[in-house]
Amino acid sequence: MTATTSWLTDLIRDIPDYPKPGVTFRDITPLLGDAAGFQRSIDELVERFADVAVDRVLGIEARGFIVAAPVAYRMGAAFVPVRKAGKLPWAVAREEYELEYGTDKLEIHRDGIRPGERVLIIDDVLATGGTARAAARLVEALGGVVAGLGFVIELEPLGGRATLGERQVESLVRY
């Protein structure tokens, strides 16, 4: 962490031993509860991708929705939710992926992305990269192009960035 991100780290609460012993959960609830901090985090994510053409911003359930929707609004792009399996009411594309603690599945409506559209993927945390990789595979399976991936927090020791290939990856703060 650098001094330039201290405003952000001051708004992220560390919860030790959650969801299991030895893990420190980075809670963005205090950031969301601070109007100036939340606005600045959205502004800084948008700024990181200012030179990137984006048609849609994809938000990953659940905290990713909170960050991705205002990013989409600010960028003049459509918002696309990616949800856990079984929560979307229409025809879906599904991708299974590995988490730090097991496996899960993500789904997107089949009409959420059109071929050739440029999609920015946004989530709150980049850890091992499993969720972000699954989201990128969903975008590509529907014919979209991953324009970049943005995160509020990156947990560097878990190596997620290295698993995302040559794509532009931006994080506001790295632990």
Side-chain angles (χ1 to χ4, degrees):
M1 293 178 293
T2 65
T4 60
T5 59
S6 65
W7 69 271
L8 182 54
T9 58
D10 290 346
L11 294 171
I12 296 171
R13 178 176 26 225
D14 291 349
I15 301 175
D17 298 320
Y18 183 84
K20 65 181 195 175
V23 174
T24 300
F25 183 81
R26 306 295 181 180
D27 181 17
I28 65 166
T29 306
L31 170 64
L32 302 176
D34 183 278
F38 183 51
Q39 183 175 12
R40 183 173 176 184
S41 65
I42 299 305
D43 291 345
E44 289 198 14
L45 274 171
V46 169
E47 185 178 303
R48 303 279 179 100
F49 295 97
D51 295 332
V52 177
V54 174
D55 299 301
R56 298 183 183 268
V57 175
L58 183 148
I60 301 172
E61 184 173 346
R63 292 176 305 271
F65 291 175
I66 299 166
V67 179
V71 167
Y73 174 77
R74 285 280 321 282
M75 295 185 89
F79 170 75
V80 179
V82 169
R83 303 212 56 196
K84 302 290 171 97
K87 294 187 177 183
L88 289 172
W90 193 68
V92 298
R94 176 180 298 132
E95 184 70 36
E96 187 166 348
Y97 65 101
E98 299 216 6
L99 300 156
E100 301 88 313
Y101 322 112
T103 63
D104 211 342
K105 294 177 189 140
L106 290 179
E107 294 180 339
I108 186 172
H109 278 152
R110 289 201 170 274
D111 64 353
I113 296 167
R114 295 179 193 104
E117 287 185 319
R118 295 183 52 79
V119 180
L120 176 60
I121 298 170
I122 298 288
D123 205 359
D124 64 323
V125 175
L126 173 59
T128 64
T131 307
R133 276 193 322 279
R137 285 193 302 266
L138 284 170
V139 167
E140 292 164 349
L142 294 174
V145 176
V146 177
L149 299 101
F151 305 91
V152 176
I153 299 167
E154 181 175 346
L155 305 175
E156 286 187 300
L158 298 180
R161 180 179 291 262
T163 71
L164 298 175
E166 298 299 315
R167 299 177 175 105
Q168 180 180 351
V169 177
E170 299 288 342
S171 302
L172 298 184
V173 65
R174 297 179 185 183
Y175 286 90

